[in-house]
Amino acid sequence: MATKRDYYEVLGVNRGASDSELKTAYRKLALKFHPDRNPGDKEAEEQFKEAAEAYEVLHDPQKRQIYDQYGHQGLEGTGFSGFGGFEDIFSSFGGIFEDLFGFGGGGGRRSRSHVQRGADLRYDLTLSFMDAAFGTETEIEVQKRVTCPECSGTGCESGTQPETCAHCQGAGQVSRTQGFFTVRTTCPVCRGKGQMITHPCKTCGGGGQVVDRKTVAVKIPAGVDSGSRLRLSNEGEAGAYGGPPGDLYVFISVEPHEFFHRDNTNVICQVPITVVQAILGDEISVPTLNGEKTLKIPKGTQHGDVFRFKGEGIPSLRNRRRGDQVIQAVIKIPTSVSKKQEKLLREFEKLETNKLANKLKNILKSGAASELQ
């Protein structure tokens, strides 16, 4: 009895190959050794069967695990002993052969179900800064294909029903001889449905669907930002032939705010203060997302200094914790002053100059360079 080759060696893949890599390798070998391409070549037939057997084992997670642990002997107790002939192979991997050659093989199987899931839809929604921060509820109008209300999606006129396709006798496929075996192709008359609508619905023309506009309620959670995406299940287009509807995806875009800027869950703003407020300190009212709040400006505040209101930012979509409000002090320099103001400023400058000069003298006397700080 001939020794079987290692299945990974047969397909030319490594032992960690993915399902996609296994399928690609098998397709390549099936195309190379297919009987129609090698008529009368017994060696090609054996290699064709060998590749199918290897793929049958390795693409099945349970069989692959047994094979990886115990080799060919481990498969003896699973009931799998290879393929008896081409019919076995074509019945197992008909989908692959459809991709390769445009037809399935053997077996007389009916066509696949034509039930189709409806298409997903996209809607672009623009929100104000505040609506995005706090959340809101709104309604949007979507144009989409829906199940025909007249025929309930059957496509048939009232009182009628689909009839069996006379060309394929309801199988959805027709047979033809290809080489030494029979192959099946999709019926060109019913296009694989196995049925024909002889009395189509006048509303939808037999398609089972019509285009309509529907108002959809959308609940916007607090904390969304530009780029956020909401999924509304079953609000997409209706499925064909009784299939489930698709989903509606709402893509969010947030308008900028004249005062607030956003950094993740933090809200950033700039607050102008006067030179006097910066020097002497003050208490000012600062706008927040929830109204005004008092901020204490300490003496000697510098331009660009940052202050925080804890928990006054935007809630996180993950854990609902709110970020902070970050306030940056911006010292505004007046562009014009009165004569009296100028006189006072000159006196202030003189005092500051004398103060600095005295400090420098003390530093020179003591040699304490650290006093320059």
Side-chain angles (χ1 to χ4, degrees), residues 208-284:
Q209 297 177 338
V210 294
V211 177
D212 195 12
R213 301 189 74 86
K214 182 180 178 182
T215 299
V216 180
V218 183
K219 186 174 182 179
I220 310 295
V224 296
D225 199 359
S226 291
S228 295
R229 185 182 71 173
L230 306 178
R231 176 183 169 217
L232 304 183
S233 299
N234 301 324
E235 291 293 351
E237 293 197 326
Y241 311 111
D247 298 331
L248 173 62
Y249 290 90
V250 179
F251 285 75
I252 304 296
S253 177
V254 181
E255 295 176 333
H257 194 274
E258 60 182 357
F259 181 69
F260 298 115
H261 301 278
R262 180 171 177 173
D263 180 17
N264 197 4
T265 58
N266 290 333
V267 171
I268 301 172
C269 64
Q270 291 185 328
V271 175
I273 60 175
T274 66
V275 174
V276 176
Q277 286 175 315
I279 296 172
L280 301 180
D282 199 359
E283 289 188 356
I284 62 173

Side-chain angles (χ1 to χ4, degrees), residues 13-267:
V13 297
N14 59 47
R15 301 190 76 84
S18 64
D19 289 342
S20 177
E21 290 171 328
L22 290 172
K23 190 171 186 179
T24 299
Y26 176 54
R27 278 178 170 170
K28 183 178 179 180
L29 293 173
L31 182 63
K32 181 178 179 181
F33 298 118
H34 193 278
D36 274 1
R37 291 175 177 252
N38 305 273
D41 188 337
K42 295 298 182 181
E43 184 178 350
E45 289 181 19
E46 291 303 318
Q47 288 176 302
F48 183 73
K49 293 177 183 178
E50 183 183 44
E53 182 178 325
Y55 180 68
E56 166 65 16
V57 170
L58 297 183
H59 93 290
D60 184 304
Q62 291 183 340
K63 292 177 184 176
R64 184 175 181 177
Q65 184 179 10
I66 293 172
Y67 178 74
D68 287 344
Q69 288 182 325
Y70 306 108
H72 294 289
Q73 290 182 345
L75 297 170
E76 293 177 0
T78 65
F80 177 74
S81 58
F83 293 106
F86 294 123
E87 290 296 326
D88 287 349
I89 298 173
F90 294 138
S91 64
S92 294
F93 307 131
I96 292 180
F97 293 116
E98 281 187 27
D99 294 342
L100 288 171
F101 308 107
F103 55 80
R109 294 174 299 154
R110 291 181 62 86
S111 62
R112 295 190 183 103
S113 171
H114 281 75
V115 170
Q116 297 176 8
R117 180 179 180 274
D120 293 333
L121 297 177
R122 170 176 176 152
Y123 187 93
D124 295 316
L125 178 64
T126 300
L127 298 174
S128 69
F129 188 94
M130 289 299 186
D131 281 345
F134 290 103
T136 187
E137 292 186 13
T138 187
E139 292 184 340
I140 60 176
E141 192 175 71
V142 181
Q143 180 174 295
K144 60 181 180 179
R145 301 188 69 84
V146 299
T147 299
C148 175
E150 182 66 26
C151 67
S152 300
T154 65
C156 298
E157 192 177 49
S158 179
T160 68
Q161 59 184 9
E163 297 180 3
T164 300
C165 174
H167 189 71
C168 67
Q169 302 302 314
Q173 295 180 332
V174 292
S175 302
R176 63 187 174 90
T177 301
Q178 181 80 17
F180 56 84
F181 57 90
T182 300
V183 296
R184 304 177 70 85
T185 58
T186 300
C187 176
V189 177
C190 67
R191 297 181 181 179
K193 300 174 188 176
Q195 295 179 323
M196 297 290 294
I197 297 177
T198 54
H199 300 283
C201 170
K202 292 183 174 58
T203 301
C204 64
Q209 297 177 338
V210 294
V211 177
D212 195 12
R213 301 189 74 86
K214 182 180 178 182
T215 299
V216 180
V218 183
K219 186 174 182 179
I220 310 295
V224 296
D225 199 359
S226 291
S228 295
R229 185 182 71 173
L230 306 178
R231 176 183 169 217
L232 304 183
S233 299
N234 301 324
E235 291 293 351
E237 293 197 326
Y241 311 111
D247 298 331
L248 173 62
Y249 290 90
V250 179
F251 285 75
I252 304 296
S253 177
V254 181
E255 295 176 333
H257 194 274
E258 60 182 357
F259 181 69
F260 298 115
H261 301 278
R262 180 171 177 173
D263 180 17
N264 197 4
T265 58
N266 290 333
V267 171

Side-chain angles (χ1 to χ4, degrees), residues 298-315:
K299 292 181 179 181
T301 293
Q302 301 297 305
H303 180 83
D305 281 356
V306 170
F307 308 95
R308 284 180 181 267
F309 287 152
K310 290 287 187 180
E312 292 290 343
I314 294 173

Side-chain angles (χ1 to χ4, degrees), residues 134 260 286-293 312 325:
F134 290 103
F260 298 115
V286 177
T288 73
L289 297 180
N290 296 295
E292 292 189 348
K293 191 171 181 178
E312 292 290 343
Q325 179 168 334

